[in-house]
Amino acid sequence: MLESTKELLRNLNITSTNTSLCTGTQWLTSTNTDTKKVYSPVDGSQLGEVVYASESDYENVIIQAQKAAEFWKSVPAPKRGSIVRQYGMKLRDHKKNLGKLVSLEMGKSYQEGLGEVQEMIDICDFAVGLSRQLYGLTMHSERPNHRMYEQWHPLGIVGIISAFNFPVAVWAWNSMIAAVCGDVCVWKPSEKTPLTAIACHRLLESVITENDLPEGIFNLVIGDYKIGECIAKDKRIPMVSATGSTRMGKRVSEVVGARLGSSLLELGGNNAVIISEHANLDNALIAAVFGCVGTAGQRCTSTRRLLIHESIFDTFKNKLVNAYGQLRIGNPLDEHNHVGPLIDTDAVNTFTQAVQAVKNEGGEVLTGGKVLSGEGYESGCYVKPCIATAQNHYNIVQEETFGPIVYLIPYQTLDEAIQLQNDVKQGLSSAIFTDNVQEAERFLSAAGSDCGIANVNIGTSGAEIGGAFGGEKETGGGRESGSDAWKKYMRRQTNTINYGTDLPLAQGIKFDL
């Protein structure tokens, strides 16, 4: 490990990475002994090593979480919000260091790493306000001298299974909202990014200690898919939030559904941007390039398809190819670079297979598609972002490739473009660039985009935390982050109070004794 990396970990209070379990301030020793090395896709260097938790380790954590849940649900919501506020302040203090670790372990640019930590800070701020706004409703009763209302109660334990591409933000979306709702959390991070998870819990330690909180409110279990299976099967966990591939989500949904539990799924995206003949092409170009190559195309909201009006197809195609020629690819900690590495060589292989597949189906590669080698690219995880012409029905276009490849598809009418946009299995994010108000409103109407996110004159990537985040169809249907997504982390209860002296029944039913 580079000396600078050791210093970075020390700054985040990570003196040892050889661990896998945390219940707040206690870092438990696993019953396993085999260590798993953690490598950076930036330069291939070893960052540390962890021990994967066993099923018995998981059981120890769950027992602690159950005890904590009984305490935490009784703490007033604004006081729970105060804990989240203090954590947000810790994140502010360590934003640069945690952002750098995100970049180093995952491979996204340093600016994007900082942005991810800022997203954590933002969701903490949102959750603090939410802690005083967990509103129910009052309803008029049909019976005299009766009052009805509804209220929301904590679920208990929330399981969180997160993916490598947003190794810390998605956990914060779930855990900070869940915390103010009165839930405790058990987090299984991606095996590919365990160090950032350890860093998040190290920053939590002082908040927990300073507030004299019990163990088990925030829990970390690092492990492979077996730990994910434990969470999905566990009847003690009423709700499981899982982020990742559609294949993974289907498995989680099946297992959680079999025990009649609740799941919140944020899965694959196959996102399209419609570029109208009425578009501001300069803005569309900037949005398209960031949407396609930001995070090296490893966002669930990355732009996979550009649906371009035939009258401007060649013009925009040439602009895009020219812009790609100016991209700087390399170490993501160098802020002069635009594109960092893919997460690992398996992702590189998936990318190159997609490039070959679009050629085989009749598409033309306009630029990129190659694996980079030589000085600065020793990890083998760097590729040249690819632009290809294609048709929407191609098999490879119908699938999500988690990498920087985008397909250019011409269209003639807006109705055709919307049909093409919707004609995939996924339904996460979508956008249209147009200065024509009729086109914009048509796209946003019930007959327009079928995605959970639909934007006008901004790209598919880069959602704000104030809105509910999620999608339809094989994206899973879940909603996280803002708006009223908090309701997923609580159970609704309807209450009726009879303050009269007799007992009238609903619907006018008579039952006299």
Side-chain angles (χ1 to χ4, degrees), residues 64-80:
Q64 194 71 60
Q66 283 184 293
K67 294 176 182 177
E70 290 301 310
F71 161 81
W72 192 237
K73 70 182 180 182
S74 299
V75 175
K79 291 189 179 296
R80 299 192 297 247

PDB file of all heavy atoms in Angstrom, residues 64-80:
ATOM      1  N   GLN A  64     -27.830  -8.115  18.535  1.00  0.00           N
ATOM      2  CA  GLN A  64     -27.543  -6.780  19.065  1.00  0.00           C
ATOM      3  C   GLN A  64     -28.503  -5.751  18.473  1.00  0.00           C
ATOM      4  O   GLN A  64     -28.986  -4.846  19.179  1.00  0.00           O
ATOM      5  CB  GLN A  64     -26.095  -6.391  18.737  1.00  0.00           C
ATOM      6  CG  GLN A  64     -25.578  -5.194  19.498  1.00  0.00           C
ATOM      7  CD  GLN A  64     -25.351  -5.503  20.961  1.00  0.00           C
ATOM      8  OE1 GLN A  64     -24.562  -6.367  21.324  1.00  0.00           O
ATOM      9  NE2 GLN A  64     -26.049  -4.792  21.836  1.00  0.00           N
ATOM     10  N   ALA A  65     -28.792  -5.887  17.181  1.00  0.00           N
ATOM     11  CA  ALA A  65     -29.712  -4.954  16.520  1.00  0.00           C
ATOM     12  C   ALA A  65     -31.120  -5.050  17.103  1.00  0.00           C
ATOM     13  O   ALA A  65     -31.811  -4.031  17.261  1.00  0.00           O
ATOM     14  CB  ALA A  65     -29.740  -5.231  15.013  1.00  0.00           C
ATOM     15  N   GLN A  66     -31.554  -6.259  17.408  1.00  0.00           N
ATOM     16  CA  GLN A  66     -32.879  -6.434  18.017  1.00  0.00           C
ATOM     17  C   GLN A  66     -32.986  -5.695  19.352  1.00  0.00           C
ATOM     18  O   GLN A  66     -33.999  -5.045  19.628  1.00  0.00           O
ATOM     19  CB  GLN A  66     -33.169  -7.918  18.232  1.00  0.00           C
ATOM     20  CG  GLN A  66     -33.571  -8.675  16.979  1.00  0.00           C
ATOM     21  CD  GLN A  66     -33.938 -10.111  17.306  1.00  0.00           C
ATOM     22  OE1 GLN A  66     -33.093 -10.911  17.701  1.00  0.00           O
ATOM     23  NE2 GLN A  66     -35.219 -10.431  17.166  1.00  0.00           N
ATOM     24  N   LYS A  67     -31.950  -5.785  20.162  1.00  0.00           N
ATOM     25  CA  LYS A  67     -31.964  -5.097  21.447  1.00  0.00           C
ATOM     26  C   LYS A  67     -32.015  -3.582  21.246  1.00  0.00           C
ATOM     27  O   LYS A  67     -32.758  -2.874  21.928  1.00  0.00           O
ATOM     28  CB  LYS A  67     -30.718  -5.472  22.254  1.00  0.00           C
ATOM     29  CG  LYS A  67     -30.651  -6.933  22.674  1.00  0.00           C
ATOM     30  CD  LYS A  67     -29.340  -7.232  23.394  1.00  0.00           C
ATOM     31  CE  LYS A  67     -29.238  -8.699  23.782  1.00  0.00           C
ATOM     32  NZ  LYS A  67     -27.915  -9.005  24.421  1.00  0.00           N
ATOM     33  N   ALA A  68     -31.217  -3.105  20.299  1.00  0.00           N
ATOM     34  CA  ALA A  68     -31.166  -1.670  20.044  1.00  0.00           C
ATOM     35  C   ALA A  68     -32.490  -1.150  19.502  1.00  0.00           C
ATOM     36  O   ALA A  68     -32.885  -0.016  19.793  1.00  0.00           O
ATOM     37  CB  ALA A  68     -30.032  -1.353  19.069  1.00  0.00           C
ATOM     38  N   ALA A  69     -33.181  -1.961  18.710  1.00  0.00           N
ATOM     39  CA  ALA A  69     -34.442  -1.530  18.104  1.00  0.00           C
ATOM     40  C   ALA A  69     -35.474  -1.204  19.171  1.00  0.00           C
ATOM     41  O   ALA A  69     -36.271  -0.264  19.021  1.00  0.00           O
ATOM     42  CB  ALA A  69     -34.970  -2.609  17.160  1.00  0.00           C
ATOM     43  N   GLU A  70     -35.488  -1.965  20.258  1.00  0.00           N
ATOM     44  CA  GLU A  70     -36.430  -1.712  21.343  1.00  0.00           C
ATOM     45  C   GLU A  70     -36.167  -0.352  21.993  1.00  0.00           C
ATOM     46  O   GLU A  70     -37.102   0.360  22.384  1.00  0.00           O
ATOM     47  CB  GLU A  70     -36.346  -2.831  22.387  1.00  0.00           C
ATOM     48  CG  GLU A  70     -36.889  -4.160  21.905  1.00  0.00           C
ATOM     49  CD  GLU A  70     -38.349  -4.053  21.492  1.00  0.00           C
ATOM     50  OE1 GLU A  70     -39.162  -3.520  22.283  1.00  0.00           O
ATOM     51  OE2 GLU A  70     -38.677  -4.474  20.367  1.00  0.00           O
ATOM     52  N   PHE A  71     -34.894  -0.001  22.111  1.00  0.00           N
ATOM     53  CA  PHE A  71     -34.539   1.302  22.680  1.00  0.00           C
ATOM     54  C   PHE A  71     -34.825   2.435  21.697  1.00  0.00           C
ATOM     55  O   PHE A  71     -35.450   3.435  22.037  1.00  0.00           O
ATOM     56  CB  PHE A  71     -33.051   1.294  23.070  1.00  0.00           C
ATOM     57  CG  PHE A  71     -32.466   2.668  23.237  1.00  0.00           C
ATOM     58  CD1 PHE A  71     -32.659   3.377  24.420  1.00  0.00           C
ATOM     59  CD2 PHE A  71     -31.729   3.265  22.217  1.00  0.00           C
ATOM     60  CE1 PHE A  71     -32.130   4.652  24.571  1.00  0.00           C
ATOM     61  CE2 PHE A  71     -31.193   4.538  22.359  1.00  0.00           C
ATOM     62  CZ  PHE A  71     -31.397   5.232  23.548  1.00  0.00           C
ATOM     63  N   TRP A  72     -34.369   2.269  20.470  1.00  0.00           N
ATOM     64  CA  TRP A  72     -34.358   3.362  19.492  1.00  0.00           C
ATOM     65  C   TRP A  72     -35.767   3.816  19.117  1.00  0.00           C
ATOM     66  O   TRP A  72     -36.009   5.005  18.912  1.00  0.00           O
ATOM     67  CB  TRP A  72     -33.578   2.913  18.260  1.00  0.00           C
ATOM     68  CG  TRP A  72     -33.218   3.993  17.280  1.00  0.00           C
ATOM     69  CD1 TRP A  72     -33.544   4.034  15.961  1.00  0.00           C
ATOM     70  CD2 TRP A  72     -32.431   5.168  17.515  1.00  0.00           C
ATOM     71  NE1 TRP A  72     -33.020   5.149  15.363  1.00  0.00           N
ATOM     72  CE2 TRP A  72     -32.334   5.875  16.303  1.00  0.00           C
ATOM     73  CE3 TRP A  72     -31.804   5.698  18.643  1.00  0.00           C
ATOM     74  CZ2 TRP A  72     -31.635   7.071  16.177  1.00  0.00           C
ATOM     75  CZ3 TRP A  72     -31.105   6.897  18.524  1.00  0.00           C
ATOM     76  CH2 TRP A  72     -31.026   7.568  17.309  1.00  0.00           C
ATOM     77  N   LYS A  73     -36.709   2.895  19.046  1.00  0.00           N
ATOM     78  CA  LYS A  73     -38.062   3.268  18.648  1.00  0.00           C
ATOM     79  C   LYS A  73     -38.747   4.145  19.698  1.00  0.00           C
ATOM     80  O   LYS A  73     -39.724   4.833  19.398  1.00  0.00           O
ATOM     81  CB  LYS A  73     -38.908   2.027  18.363  1.00  0.00           C
ATOM     82  CG  LYS A  73     -39.269   1.195  19.584  1.00  0.00           C
ATOM     83  CD  LYS A  73     -40.075  -0.031  19.174  1.00  0.00           C
ATOM     84  CE  LYS A  73     -40.466  -0.885  20.378  1.00  0.00           C
ATOM     85  NZ  LYS A  73     -41.215  -2.106  19.958  1.00  0.00           N
ATOM     86  N   SER A  74     -38.234   4.110  20.922  1.00  0.00           N
ATOM     87  CA  SER A  74     -38.825   4.905  21.999  1.00  0.00           C
ATOM     88  C   SER A  74     -38.184   6.282  22.134  1.00  0.00           C
ATOM     89  O   SER A  74     -38.668   7.117  22.906  1.00  0.00           O
ATOM     90  CB  SER A  74     -38.700   4.156  23.331  1.00  0.00           C
ATOM     91  OG  SER A  74     -39.398   2.926  23.272  1.00  0.00           O
ATOM     92  N   VAL A  75     -37.104   6.526  21.424  1.00  0.00           N
ATOM     93  CA  VAL A  75     -36.454   7.839  21.449  1.00  0.00           C
ATOM     94  C   VAL A  75     -37.276   8.796  20.582  1.00  0.00           C
ATOM     95  O   VAL A  75     -37.636   8.457  19.453  1.00  0.00           O
ATOM     96  CB  VAL A  75     -35.009   7.747  20.912  1.00  0.00           C
ATOM     97  CG1 VAL A  75     -34.377   9.127  20.809  1.00  0.00           C
ATOM     98  CG2 VAL A  75     -34.178   6.834  21.800  1.00  0.00           C
ATOM     99  N   PRO A  76     -37.611   9.981  21.063  1.00  0.00           N
ATOM    100  CA  PRO A  76     -38.394  10.918  20.247  1.00  0.00           C
ATOM    101  C   PRO A  76     -37.703  11.211  18.911  1.00  0.00           C
ATOM    102  O   PRO A  76     -36.472  11.335  18.854  1.00  0.00           O
ATOM    103  CB  PRO A  76     -38.463  12.176  21.125  1.00  0.00           C
ATOM    104  CG  PRO A  76     -38.306  11.671  22.524  1.00  0.00           C
ATOM    105  CD  PRO A  76     -37.372  10.509  22.429  1.00  0.00           C
ATOM    106  N   ALA A  77     -38.506  11.306  17.868  1.00  0.00           N
ATOM    107  CA  ALA A  77     -37.953  11.478  16.521  1.00  0.00           C
ATOM    108  C   ALA A  77     -37.021  12.681  16.413  1.00  0.00           C
ATOM    109  O   ALA A  77     -35.961  12.583  15.777  1.00  0.00           O
ATOM    110  CB  ALA A  77     -39.085  11.561  15.496  1.00  0.00           C
ATOM    111  N   PRO A  78     -37.340  13.854  16.994  1.00  0.00           N
ATOM    112  CA  PRO A  78     -36.387  14.968  16.890  1.00  0.00           C
ATOM    113  C   PRO A  78     -35.039  14.674  17.545  1.00  0.00           C
ATOM    114  O   PRO A  78     -34.010  15.170  17.080  1.00  0.00           O
ATOM    115  CB  PRO A  78     -37.119  16.113  17.619  1.00  0.00           C
ATOM    116  CG  PRO A  78     -38.567  15.792  17.448  1.00  0.00           C
ATOM    117  CD  PRO A  78     -38.629  14.293  17.570  1.00  0.00           C
ATOM    118  N   LYS A  79     -35.025  13.872  18.599  1.00  0.00           N
ATOM    119  CA  LYS A  79     -33.748  13.496  19.214  1.00  0.00           C
ATOM    120  C   LYS A  79     -32.985  12.526  18.304  1.00  0.00           C
ATOM    121  O   LYS A  79     -31.755  12.581  18.222  1.00  0.00           O
ATOM    122  CB  LYS A  79     -33.979  12.879  20.597  1.00  0.00           C
ATOM    123  CG  LYS A  79     -34.478  13.889  21.636  1.00  0.00           C
ATOM    124  CD  LYS A  79     -34.478  13.302  23.024  1.00  0.00           C
ATOM    125  CE  LYS A  79     -34.947  14.329  24.047  1.00  0.00           C
ATOM    126  NZ  LYS A  79     -34.032  15.490  24.139  1.00  0.00           N
ATOM    127  N   ARG A  80     -33.721  11.657  17.631  1.00  0.00           N
ATOM    128  CA  ARG A  80     -33.056  10.806  16.636  1.00  0.00           C
ATOM    129  C   ARG A  80     -32.465  11.682  15.530  1.00  0.00           C
ATOM    130  O   ARG A  80     -31.370  11.424  15.020  1.00  0.00           O
ATOM    131  CB  ARG A  80     -34.057   9.798  16.066  1.00  0.00           C
ATOM    132  CG  ARG A  80     -34.647   8.855  17.104  1.00  0.00           C
ATOM    133  CD  ARG A  80     -35.396   7.688  16.505  1.00  0.00           C
ATOM    134  NE  ARG A  80     -36.567   8.058  15.735  1.00  0.00           N
ATOM    135  CZ  ARG A  80     -37.830   7.782  16.072  1.00  0.00           C
ATOM    136  NH1 ARG A  80     -38.073   7.166  17.233  1.00  0.00           N
ATOM    137  NH2 ARG A  80     -38.827   8.116  15.293  1.00  0.00           N
TER     138      ARG A  80
END
